[in-house]
Amino acid sequence: MMNSMKVCPECKSKNITETIYGLPGGPPDEELQKEIDVGRVEFGGCCIYPESKRFHCNDCLFEWGRP
């Protein structure tokens, strides 16, 4: 998890949000909550569909990667 090293393959931006899937076992820990608060991580729900992506570029809106 934590995408601080991810770069958009389209525009090379580092302004990336990672989507995590599944049912949380409880509230996020402090580190994960900080990532959520600044928009680097979001929850994608319990279902993963063929079109579900793991990463989203907040600059060019490109999405890529399998969950």
Side-chain angles (χ1 to χ4, degrees):
M1 200 171 34
M2 305 310 154
N3 59 13
S4 59
M5 302 304 271
K6 278 291 173 195
V7 175
C8 175
E10 289 292 307
C11 74
K12 309 304 181 216
S13 171
K14 293 182 181 177
N15 184 12
I16 305 300
T17 297
E18 181 175 1
T19 304
I20 53 177
Y21 296 87
L23 183 62
D29 63 21
E30 187 176 319
E31 181 183 351
L32 179 56
Q33 187 61 56
K34 286 179 186 177
E35 295 290 301
I36 293 166
D37 291 345
V38 298
R40 287 191 292 252
V41 172
E42 68 181 2
F43 292 111
C46 296
C47 298
I48 300 174
Y49 300 99
E51 65 274 6
S52 297
K53 301 298 182 199
R54 184 171 177 189
F55 301 103
H56 171 87
C57 177
N58 297 310
D59 292 330
C60 77
L61 307 181
F62 183 70
E63 295 182 321
W64 74 98
R66 295 293 304 145

